[in-house]
Amino acid sequence: MEHTLTQIKDYADLTVAELAALVDSLRLPRHMAIIMDGNGRWAARRGLPRIAGHKKGMEVVHEVVETCARLGVPALTLYAFSTENWKRPPLEVSFLMSLLTLYLRQELSLMKRENIRFSTIGRVEDLPAEARAWIEKAKTETAGNTGMVLDLALSYGGRWEIIEAAKKIAADIKSGKMEPSALDERTFSGYLDTRGMPELDLVIRTSGERRVSNFLLWQMAYAELYFTEALWPDFTQRDLLIAILDYQGRQRRFGKTSEQLGS
Ligand code: IPE
Ligand code: IPE
Ligand code: MG
């Protein structure tokens, strides 16, 4: 605890370039996920409509995606829209959907330039046709890319994902494709939307909220959690680097003792 706090105090004196130089490229999170929260509050503090916060938030997504790709993070999942977010006022929902289309239109060139492969998790079939068409286009046109996987969680819910997996497993057992005894953690993971993605190592949530809001419930089992007060539209490259450095300063014990890990 003490150690981490001291480190963060030290980080304050460092420039972005110095922070970047401190990042150990051999110990990057294999899969990083971000709960991008606080757009509405950012806008409210400026007397702006909530959608202004979402728009500014999209610019931050651009910077974070570019930085993660350049650092060499293998996979980045961004929580863009939850299954619960459908309960928001219809106008906000439709704005978010058109923003998604705008994002894909604008960012496809970044994905190509940075060798990013685009992917999604969640109930993509719930999205408006225009957004779905751009999702398909981005997936097809980046399918051969070998760099970072950029994964957008869209109409995504962790419980929904687990239930879907359970249904598919039940169907495979019923049809004789799988024996119940063959089901283990690895095969179960293979039924989730995140199948094939690396183990989730780090989850960041902005805006000071300390909850997981139905995000990557199965995958989070041993992830490191990082909470920051920064609202998503204020989240900077510097904040991102500090989160990664904080992660790299932690000892992950996976149930073992420090002594076991030290030897
Ligand atoms: C996150 O910001 C964006 C989405 C959930 C789509 P919010 O819109 O939740 O912002 P706050 O939490 O109201 O400030
Ligand atoms: C979580 O944020 C979902 C996304 C960031 C897309 P919310 O703002 O919807 O979360 P709650 O409702 O405050 O938990
Ligand atoms: Mg919120």
Side-chain angles (χ1 to χ4, degrees):
M1 192 69 185
E2 192 62 49
H3 183 59
T4 314
L5 287 177
T6 320
Q7 274 187 338
I8 289 177
K9 230 182 272 154
D10 296 341
Y11 295 152
D13 304 328
L14 301 178
T15 65
V16 169
E18 285 166 336
L19 289 169
L22 280 179
V23 171
D24 179 351
S25 60
L26 298 175
R27 290 177 50 248
L28 287 168
R30 290 163 291 180
H31 180 182
M32 220 173 98
I34 310 182
I35 304 175
M36 311 180 290
D37 199 10
N39 293 351
R41 277 162 284 168
W42 182 91
R45 280 178 202 173
R46 284 163 179 75
L48 298 169
R50 294 178 55 83
I51 57 171
H54 296 314
K55 227 170 149 235
K56 181 66 174 40
M58 194 175 90
E59 293 169 25
V60 175
V61 172
H62 172 91
E63 192 170 283
V64 165
V65 167
E66 188 173 55
T67 305
C68 286
R70 290 184 179 173
L71 281 173
V73 172
L76 173 68
T77 298
L78 299 176
Y79 206 5
F81 197 87
S82 71
T83 46
E84 289 73 28
N85 287 148
W86 291 108
K87 294 181 222 158
R88 291 193 177 196
L91 261 177
E92 179 167 345
V93 170
S94 62
F95 181 83
L96 284 166
M97 293 303 145
S98 34
L99 205 59
L100 170 63
T101 303
L102 180 68
Y103 174 78
L104 294 168
R105 291 172 78 123
Q106 279 181 6
E107 301 299 294
L108 191 51
S109 58
L110 170 78
M111 295 178 207
K112 289 180 178 170
R113 169 159 55 79
E114 298 296 331
N115 192 24
I116 292 169
R117 183 161 63 80
F118 179 70
S119 116
T120 61
I121 55 173
R123 305 170 51 102
V124 169
E125 62 275 18
D126 291 349
L127 304 176
E130 203 192 10
R132 284 200 320 265
W134 276 94
I135 286 168
E136 269 323 298
K137 186 175 159 72
K139 282 184 182 171
T140 311
E141 295 187 13
T142 64
N145 287 353
T146 53
M148 184 176 82
V149 175
L150 168 62
D151 178 39
L152 286 193
L154 296 165
S155 193
Y156 173 85
R159 287 186 171 178
W160 163 82
E161 185 190 32
I162 290 169
I163 287 171
E164 283 305 298
K167 283 188 200 160
K168 287 176 206 150
I169 290 163
D172 282 354
I173 288 175
K174 205 174 163 194
S175 71
K177 247 178 90 182
M178 189 173 71
E179 283 297 319
S181 60
L183 187 60
D184 57 16
E185 291 186 10
R186 203 181 58 82
T187 41
F188 191 90
S189 296
Y191 282 89
L192 296 170
D193 279 16
T194 49
R195 65 189 155 275
M197 290 183 74
E199 197 64 29
L200 183 61
D201 283 330
L202 172 63
V203 179
I204 298 173
R205 182 169 190 149
T206 60
S207 90
E209 306 295 355
R210 285 164 169 77
R211 53 177 173 266
V212 298
S213 302
N214 202 13
F215 191 42
L216 298 174
L217 298 179
W218 167 276
Q219 298 84 344
M220 229 182 264
Y222 253 109
E224 294 295 326
L225 309 180
Y226 182 89
F227 298 104
T228 168
E229 297 301 314
L231 301 173
W232 179 250
D234 289 328
F235 189 79
T236 59
Q237 198 182 22
R238 175 180 193 86
D239 295 321
L240 176 70
L241 293 170
I242 290 174
I244 294 174
L245 288 168
D246 187 88
Y247 162 82
Q248 292 189 332
R250 298 182 188 189
Q251 185 184 51
R252 302 183 76 195
R253 290 192 281 277
F254 299 102
K256 295 185 181 175
T257 67
S258 327
E259 290 74 18
Q260 283 177 298
L261 294 164
S263 65

